[in-house]
Amino acid sequence: MSCCYPETQFNSFIFPPIVRPCSVGIGQKVHGRIIKCGLDSDTVVQTSLLTMLDSDTVIQTSLLTMYGETTSLSNAKKIAQLHASILKLDSLRPSKEVNSLFTQLVKLCILPSSIDIEALPQEIQAIRKSLIVLCGRAEGLLELEFATFLTKIPQPLENLNVFPYYGNYVKLANMEYKILHDNGAVQPKKIAFVGSGPMPLTSLIMANHYFTSAHFDNFDVDEKANDVARRIVSNNAELEKRMKFHTSDIVEVKEKIKEYDCIFLAALVGMNKQDKVKILGHIRKHMKEGGFLLVRSAKGARAFLYPVVEEDDMIGFEVLTIFHPTDDVINSVVLARKPAY
């Protein structure tokens, strides 16, 4: 097999039927060809590779390498098994089976862990990358279902707690407000939230309980998500005046970024390090001097759910603090400021 044959057009549909029946030994050779062809980041190809790996003892060997003979090993095995089960789902839309699998996954990932993400074997890195994508899709579908439900009842803003993870968002918002307050962001006048989705809970909690006179601009690439979010807010005239929704990719927004005293960057905006660093660089270039940027990250096994942002990724920023929760709040928080020169 060679990617140099001009008459052969290699794409994401050629490799999966070759990979799936392979033993890991042969499969790893095919994987090498996939990388040479530049298809290693393709979701279809990744899924076929992971299906092969999840059925082989190589996963067990990699997990032993990652954790050693510790109590964390059984949890790591369960994460790999849950990943295999999630891959077999017909849909990621909320259902008893979907909810059960992701609940089990979250519970495992928030357990104390000293895992070094950078040291993960290649096979486990592939599972982690796949899980982040799967969790992102499932989270979006869950939010959309509950947000749509809220638009159909008389007082949606009074019933936000119907969302299963509302309590976690309240804890996260409280944690983020304290971090901002302790570092000098006492009463920002204009706030942006990038990656707000159909259920903009952080903006709503912040606007109603902490920054009660601030203007909020919410950015998301999905117009359907923004439309649902607008309908939730439209029930409250005062809040509707100071909370707006923009359908934009943040890397396409330039001059407007200068308006904000504080910018929140959701964990799933920038699903890989390259994209995340690009987004961070774009925001730094265009935001006002002295402005705050709050970035959500993850640490330990929680990094199987969300991308990790390291201090070294915050190029050109003054990193003020990094906080890693140890309770059921999943996201870490990186708070930075654009220096005033």
Side-chain angles (χ1 to χ4, degrees), residues 250-275:
I250 196 63
V251 296
E252 301 298 327
V253 181
K254 297 178 181 178
E255 291 300 316
K256 194 169 183 62
I257 293 178
K258 291 184 173 70
E259 299 176 9
Y260 304 110
D261 303 303
C262 180
I263 299 172
F264 287 74
L265 185 65
L268 292 172
V269 177
M271 299 288 279
N272 58 59
K273 186 171 286 289
Q274 182 179 359
D275 289 343

Side-chain angles (χ1 to χ4, degrees), residues 296-309:
R296 290 178 179 170
S297 178
K299 183 177 174 61
R302 299 162 196 244
F304 280 93
L305 306 174
Y306 293 106
V308 174
V309 178

Side-chain angles (χ1 to χ4, degrees), residues 86-92:
I86 291 169
L87 283 178
K88 295 173 184 176
L89 292 169
D90 293 329
S91 169
L92 294 176

